[in-house]
Amino acid sequence: MPKRAYSPGDVLSKTYTLLPWGSKWAAAFGYPEINETWLIHGQSAQGKSSFAMQLARELCNYGTVLYMSYEEGVSQSFQKRLKTFRMNEVQGRFRIATDDTIEELGKRLACKKSPRFVIVDSFQKAGWSYEATMELIKRFKRKSFIFISQEHKGQPMGKAAIRLKYEAGVKVRVSGYKAYCQGRFIPEAGVYYTVWEEGILRTTNKLG
């Protein structure tokens, strides 16, 4: 039997659960689905990790966040970032893991009351294949996976990360402490989320 084909009415009648965040986030990223897949990339020391932590803090308003800190572990720099963004204030909805394999993460997510949002930092350090990553996403369709990627020549580093970018509904590039949405939910070209205002001023002054 052939697979179902949808009519325009079928599509238009569908409803989606969107992230109900405020104007600060919506101005740059619109209102993506709460279970959308994200891919965030940028060069080192451009504000990528700080943006990821700010995003984690915001998402704690809508569910539990699991931060897979593969790259930094629980190092001093990671601790400093927790302090900067006062993550202790949301510790009831924020958890950190450092060495789960993709199979172990799957078991964790299959448990009752498992995290709604999973941040993987970084995709390269996790060492997952594209195929295994897509299987995980499809298995847990009601969860949001947010991948942080290293960058090479303006694009996510490695073929697997580039393929993953095409699958992500929200694509974000962080540069000069500005986070630009490049995905399907972009509200307006050129608009960005300010990661660190002082950093932007310093960068601008250097360029000037």
Side-chain angles (χ1 to χ4, degrees):
M1 181 178 293
K3 293 182 178 180
R4 178 183 177 182
Y6 294 93
S7 71
D10 292 333
V11 177
L12 292 171
S13 65
K14 287 177 67 66
T15 58
Y16 303 91
T17 302
L18 309 181
L19 282 169
W21 48 23
S23 59
K24 178 182 177 181
W25 288 90
F29 306 107
Y31 295 95
E33 289 180 65
I34 203 164
N35 61 335
E36 188 57 85
T37 299
W38 293 56
L39 188 132
I40 301 163
H41 63 99
Q43 294 181 359
S44 178
Q46 294 292 305
K48 184 170 73 267
S49 295
S50 291
F51 171 72
M53 194 62 73
Q54 289 177 57
L55 178 61
R57 166 92 192 218
E58 176 65 22
L59 293 177
C60 283
N61 293 319
Y62 319 113
T64 303
V65 177
L66 176 64
Y67 199 109
M68 306 299 300
S69 184
Y70 289 115
E71 194 156 308
E72 291 185 283
V74 288
S75 63
Q76 185 180 20
S77 60
F78 188 82
Q79 182 191 67
K80 183 179 179 180
R81 205 169 300 119
L82 292 180
K83 291 179 179 178
T84 298
F85 299 110
R86 305 190 307 276
M87 297 305 289
N88 60 304
E89 296 177 3
V90 293
Q91 62 179 348
R93 289 194 165 193
F94 185 74
R95 291 291 181 268
I96 303 152
T98 60
D99 56 6
D100 281 22
T101 64
I102 196 168
E103 292 79 15
E104 289 169 338
L105 176 58
K107 291 178 182 178
R108 188 192 292 270
L109 297 179
C111 296
K112 290 183 179 180
K113 298 182 178 180
S114 60
R116 189 170 199 174
F117 304 96
V118 181
I119 298 177
V120 180
D121 187 5
S122 65
F123 180 65
Q124 287 77 15
K125 195 67 175 181
W128 302 349
S129 69
Y130 170 79
E131 290 75 16
T133 301
M134 292 307 302
E135 285 181 14
L136 186 71
I137 293 171
K138 290 176 181 178
R139 180 183 173 188
F140 298 102
K141 294 180 179 179
R142 294 186 177 183
K143 300 186 183 297
S144 174
F145 291 89
I146 299 154
F147 298 95
I148 315 301
S149 175
Q150 297 170 8
E151 185 180 276
H152 179 65
K153 295 184 178 179
Q155 291 296 327
M157 185 182 293
K159 292 181 179 179
I162 291 174
R163 290 178 70 187
L164 188 57
K165 180 178 179 179
Y166 283 102
E167 292 294 334
V170 184
K171 316 169 205 296
V172 180
R173 183 167 190 251
V174 181
S175 178
Y177 306 104
K178 302 174 183 178
Y180 296 91
C181 182
Q182 300 177 322
R184 302 164 192 159
F185 301 95
I186 180 170
E188 186 179 344
V191 176
Y192 59 84
Y193 175 91
T194 299
V195 178
W196 184 33
E197 191 168 352
E198 185 179 340
I200 293 174
L201 292 173
R202 290 180 182 179
T203 302
T204 303
N205 289 337
K206 285 181 180 179
L207 292 175

